[in-house]
Amino acid sequence: MSNVAEIFGSMVFNDQVMQERLPKNTYKALKKTIQDGTPLDIDLANVVAHAMKDWAIEKGCTHFTHWFQPMTGITAEKHDSFINPVEGGRVLLNFSGKELVRGEPDASSFPSGGLRATFEARGYTAWDPTSYAFIKQNTLCIPTAFCSYTGEALDKKTPLLRSMEAINKQALRVLKLFGSDATRVVSTVGPEQEYFLVDEKVYKQRKDLIYTGRTLFGAPAPKGQELEDHYFGAIKDRVAEYMADLDNELWKLGILAKTKHNEVAPAQHELAPIYSITNVATDHNQLTMELMQKVAKRHGLVCLLHEKPFEGINGSGKHNNWSISTNTGVNLIDPGETPAENAQFLLFLVAVIKAVDEYQDLMRISVASAGNDHRLGANEAPPAIISIFLGDELTEILNCIEEGRVYQGRDMGDMELGVDLLPKFPKDNTDRNRTSPFAFTGNKFEFRMLGSAASISGANVVLNTAVAKELDEFATVLENAEDFTAALNDLIRKTIKEHDRIIFNGNGYSDEWQEEAAKRGLLNLRTTVDAEKTFFQPKNVELFTKYGVYTESEMKSHYEIKLETYSKVLNIEALTILDMARKDILPAVNKYIKQLTDALLNKKQIGAAVGTAMEEDLIMKLSAMCDRCYAAADKLEKDLDGVPTSDVLTEAEYYKDTILPDMDAVRAPADEMELYCDESVWPFPTYGKLLFSV
């Protein structure tokens, strides 16, 4: 068994290592850069680079890489060795400050959404010193941002860092009015990660899993999740060994893996970390997903991160536990114990409520993908309608403030904020609501709509920027108020009254909520395409450009890439369906029909007394299903030939409205045939084997 305290962070150039290896002045300057965002002088960068190189070489490294997050949704890295030639045919191992702070990978083949032409290859990576360098596969990895030659963001980290700076600036303005001595505010996140594990041998027999990450065919197994016996059940030995190995690898990289358990669906599991600063949490989540898949192979397993790998059972999400904290240790989404803290808390609370209500569309866009469309609103995940769960007591307190009523749960008196009559309430004052997309859970908000394979960057960019905008407006009002307390009361009351439609504590799965949400004027953007149509509303353009999070050209890039990716994913799935239907399923079923026909003829030779009802019935049923499947595949192929390519939205709409139904039409008779075919004839492993083989 590993000594966790000894291995934790052993592959990270963290604060402890920096204190040990850097001169005091250099260490202080680097800490100031990390804490305050001040630039690092190149001479100091040289000292840091030299110490980092020596440490990495002692750990067995021969190369370094600028590790970045292009808009593919995964990470990228180009490895360079430390070697530099010297006279006499020898080499020295060098690493300069310039190599540390800036790199120049080829940017031509990364998605840019029209920001640049394909032949324009230059791109730059810039060190993010707030996220510690680490060692992976004998390579020193330096977390970086990635931008084009003209300075536009080509990655998911740069907008995130910009959004964090926006919320820092505006939150500090508000805190100053409350007399806080905080000098920095950061958003923090703890992303819970769901995933499936399947046997590698079984996985390799499924083209759909290999090409798309999800099963495009598959009849339900006799047993699914209906007994609810997998959730939090005893972890099987093979899975437990995998989880223990994964924990060790994550701990070495300083990733705060805390909780692990079986999830609702068979073969589904979850890993949850302790929260950390948002850009670090984003880096760590990308590493977590990479290591989940890599470690699984050591154990003869495959880790599936697709949002909906299996039809008919729960898909996988990623719960984004978001909060805001100061460098003085105050969680601004914590109700606190004193009236003054409660007043401050309520102001930040209503800022979040207002932000979510005004930017429902951006919240939905931030979690949109072809895979997540299968999951949202399927009675297993939050609906596509954005709403906020606050719990009964907190909702009642806000109602009292809005209506000027006395809150009956505490001392009687007028509801004045920031004075002794303000009620204190516990963090956990109500049950949790698993159907809510955005739930208050005591001292944080849990954004539950993210898909399991997604980067958490996009969702947190929207949250940070939208809340920053509301705090900006609040600060402006309060800074110009003659009577701060009166203005604070009015501001909170007015905000609640104008945005309480977004608060919903009931069952998000119910048909009644769909109707009620429509009456409230809440958006119901069911698909990625529906959501993306709202992206360029003037309020959204103003939000991102005003706070310097995206330029208009970067927004256009985001839009283009999102819709292009949606269409490309569905195109790959459609081609895979055609391949499997024509090369595997239909030949296999025809082979089985021949076996039945031979058996039927043999029986008839014996005589009329021998029953042939089964063979005759199966031959008729399977032949009819084959014809339906063949015809549906033929239509799918023809419709794929007719995909319009005039613009990305038209193309994506065509895939949504035409190709997706075509794919379902091929799948339906194929899944039905699986139920009637001899298992030895069926061309790939069934759901039963996939879900219960580990």
Side-chain angles (χ1 to χ4, degrees), residues 114-186:
L115 276 178
R116 55 200 287 110
T118 303
F119 62 82
E120 294 174 331
R122 195 178 296 278
Y124 298 109
T125 48
W127 179 33
D128 172 15
T130 63
S131 185
Y132 296 133
F134 57 91
I135 293 172
K136 180 167 67 81
Q137 294 177 318
N138 293 327
T139 298
L140 174 66
C141 299
I142 302 151
T144 58
F146 181 44
C147 65
S148 72
Y149 177 71
T150 51
E152 287 114 336
L154 294 174
D155 68 342
K156 293 180 177 291
K157 169 165 280 200
T158 302
L160 180 61
L161 293 173
R162 293 170 179 169
S163 74
M164 292 175 68
E165 190 51 46
I167 200 169
N168 168 60
K169 181 179 179 180
Q170 304 307 328
L172 286 177
R173 288 177 62 200
V174 172
L175 291 174
K176 183 179 179 181
L177 298 169
F178 284 91
S180 170
D181 58 356
T183 58
R184 190 150 189 86
V185 173
V186 294

Side-chain angles (χ1 to χ4, degrees), residues 13 27 75 96 151 156 186 237 240 260 271 358 435 498 503 685:
F13 195 75
Y27 171 73
T75 59
S96 68
K156 293 180 177 291
V186 294
D237 290 346
K260 55 188 179 184
L271 181 149
E358 290 185 343
T435 72
E498 292 177 353
I503 299 170

Side-chain angles (χ1 to χ4, degrees), residues 609-666:
V610 178
T612 59
M614 181 191 79
E615 288 82 2
E616 290 178 358
D617 187 53
L618 281 176
I619 289 169
M620 294 295 291
K621 282 181 177 177
L622 289 172
S623 295
M625 292 175 202
C626 273
D627 288 345
R628 282 170 48 210
C629 186
Y630 180 81
D634 191 51
K635 183 178 185 303
L636 173 57
E637 182 181 42
K638 289 177 181 177
D639 287 342
L640 281 172
D641 290 338
V643 173
T645 57
S646 55
D647 63 85
V648 291
L649 178 59
T650 301
E651 183 176 1
E653 285 187 313
Y654 184 86
Y655 273 101
K656 172 177 73 75
D657 297 332
T658 301
I659 301 303
L660 265 176
D662 283 354
M663 291 163 59
D664 291 338
V666 179

